[in-house]
Amino acid sequence: AEHQHARYNPLRDDWVLVSAHRVKRPWQGQLEKPPAEDVPRWDPNNPLCPGATRANGEVNPRYEGTFIFPNDFPALQPDAPEPDDSDHPLFQAAPARGVCKVMCFHPWSDLTLPLMSLPEIRAVIDAWAELSTELGASYPWVQIFENKGAMMGCSNPHPHCQVWASSFLPNEARLEDRTQRQHLSQHGVPMLLEYAEQEACRKERLVVENADWLVVVPYWATWPYQTLLLPRRHVCRLQDLSDSERDNLASIMQRLLIKYDNLFEVSFPYSMGWHGAPTGPYLEEDCRHWQLHAHYYPPLLRSATVRKFMVGYEMLAQAQRDLTPEQAAERLRSLPEVHYK
């Protein structure tokens, strides 16, 4: 807790430098602008609102629940041409095809997930699972992710996420596939199933738990209040969750996100995403080494206006964090589960 040391991340096969004493240093750097509290519930000029016109001229339906549509500016398209053959091993290109969708969580722009009801969050989870099944029927990787807050690059305050399905396994997916496969081969148990059991017993990094799920600040966390959401049962993909597991997932997500907001009494920014076993052609392969999980990466460090920057040493050497994961977990754990609003 007082002296610097390095911790190993078995999921990424890399290390993070923990320098707890640095949290005491004075801050004279950049201060972020807190997120706006006066977001209008409905704005005809907001392209994600019901009935609004998007950039491509399409008009959204007057939706009342979740709403999914093709991204108007997709990073991946299904009919991209093959790249030219490389004339040198140092200049390689490969095909990259896919589809990108946007999913609105709710018709109201002034709501975020922690302020939604449990049935509304459950509807989001069901829509995630349906998209995973639909896109995963043909694409090897389906990445569900939410960027919340302008600090994390979100350009629209309306509650929404994105879903990108790709014809290839992205870097993080390939890395986690390799490390989890090695762990199962060497130890006979899926890595994150064993890890969840260990954290449930140790409790020092536990934030919230219920019958089917637990949330921890991982031992190897990089971001200040990073968390890992894990099922207690061995489950490979989001679409494999039972009804009760989906209900309990809605509950634990709400509890975690309320704590996040309560930490600095602000709509807490983060990037989050689901990782599960690959799909498409991998549906016919043995993927027992995979365990479903969600990563939450929030940038705020000391307050609503002071963030952690991943620059300098982090970019050129290895990741570094200030407060320990145990200190972060204790602070999150102690926060109330009633939203400050």
Side-chain angles (χ1 to χ4, degrees):
E2 296 296 329
H3 302 286
Q4 69 269 14
H5 59 281
R7 297 192 183 192
Y8 180 62
N9 181 346
L11 193 58
R12 299 196 75 260
D13 188 24
D14 63 10
W15 293 79
V16 57
L17 174 62
V18 182
S19 311
H21 57 286
R22 276 172 52 87
V23 79
K24 300 173 184 177
R25 76 191 195 279
W27 182 261
Q28 293 181 321
Q30 178 172 319
L31 297 179
E32 305 294 334
K33 187 177 180 180
E37 296 280 347
D38 57 347
V39 177
R41 178 155 293 182
W42 184 81
D43 180 357
N45 296 315
N46 184 333
L48 298 187
C49 281
T53 302
R54 302 203 309 275
N56 63 356
E58 291 194 22
V59 178
N60 296 334
R62 295 279 180 176
Y63 65 93
E64 297 181 351
T66 59
F67 170 51
I68 300 166
F69 62 92
N71 194 312
D72 296 328
F73 303 95
L76 294 164
Q77 296 176 321
D79 53 357
E82 293 274 340
D84 294 336
D85 292 334
S86 173
D87 62 355
H88 193 283
L90 293 178
F91 302 93
Q92 296 188 44
R97 300 184 180 93
V99 296
C100 299
K101 294 183 180 288
V102 176
M103 179 179 138
C104 295
F105 297 154
H106 196 279
W108 294 356
S109 293
D110 59 342
L111 278 192
T112 55
L113 280 170
L115 295 172
M116 288 166 55
S117 69
L118 288 178
E120 289 168 340
I121 300 173
R122 168 65 195 265
V124 170
I125 293 166
D126 287 340
W128 281 342
E130 289 169 13
L131 272 176
S132 298
T133 301
E134 174 194 333
L135 298 174
S138 52
Y139 287 102
W141 190 255
V142 180
Q143 183 60 65
I144 298 168
F145 65 96
E146 179 194 4
N147 293 328
K148 179 170 177 268
M151 196 182 301
M152 297 308 291
C154 182
S155 60
N156 192 307
H158 195 94
H160 72 285
C161 72
Q162 298 189 53
V163 184
W164 294 11
S166 60
S167 61
F168 55 90
L169 289 188
N171 293 343
E172 293 296 314
R174 287 191 291 110
L175 182 56
E176 289 193 4
D177 185 71
R178 174 175 64 81
T179 57
Q180 290 180 97
R181 189 184 299 274
Q182 287 175 342
H183 189 92
L184 180 64
S185 175
Q186 293 172 5
H187 302 281
V189 60
M191 177 199 295
L192 291 181
L193 182 63
E194 182 178 9
Y195 179 68
E197 292 170 351
Q198 285 288 318
E199 290 288 31
C201 293
R202 296 171 185 254
K203 297 194 180 301
E204 58 187 329
R205 286 170 295 275
L206 190 66
V207 177
V208 286
E209 62 178 331
N210 62 28
D212 293 312
W213 299 87
L214 68 157
V215 175
V216 300
V217 177
Y219 177 79
W220 52 79
T222 299
W223 294 93
Y225 292 97
Q226 175 181 337
T227 54
L228 186 62
L229 172 57
L230 295 162
R232 295 184 184 272
R233 176 177 72 92
H234 184 207
V235 54
C236 291
R237 299 178 178 93
L238 197 60
Q239 53 266 45
D240 299 334
L241 296 174
S242 67
D243 274 346
S244 63
E245 286 170 330
R246 295 184 188 198
D247 285 339
N248 279 331
L249 175 55
S251 173
I252 205 163
M253 283 175 55
Q254 185 188 62
R255 293 169 64 196
L256 169 64
L257 297 178
I258 286 174
K259 284 179 177 289
Y260 270 159
D261 281 7
N262 285 344
L263 180 60
F264 298 128
E265 294 195 350
V266 68
S267 184
F268 205 68
Y270 58 75
S271 281
M272 72 80 66
W274 285 99
H275 283 173
T279 49
Y282 295 90
L283 291 170
E284 305 301 320
E285 295 189 8
D286 183 359
C287 290
R288 287 176 299 162
H289 55 291
W290 271 91
Q291 173 74 328
L292 177 70
H293 59 283
H295 296 282
Y296 284 84
Y297 298 129
L300 292 180
L301 174 58
R302 302 182 182 202
S303 68
T305 60
V306 177
R307 68 178 299 180
K308 167 69 175 176
F309 287 90
M310 290 293 184
V311 296
Y313 189 86
E314 290 89 350
M315 294 177 71
L316 297 165
Q318 71 179 37
Q320 181 271 333
R321 62 177 289 122
D322 295 345
L323 76 166
T324 67
E326 294 75 27
Q327 291 166 337
E330 183 179 13
R331 186 162 184 192
L332 288 172
R333 190 168 53 243
S334 66
L335 291 167
E337 295 186 9
V338 175
H339 199 277
Y340 75 93
K341 284 190 173 181

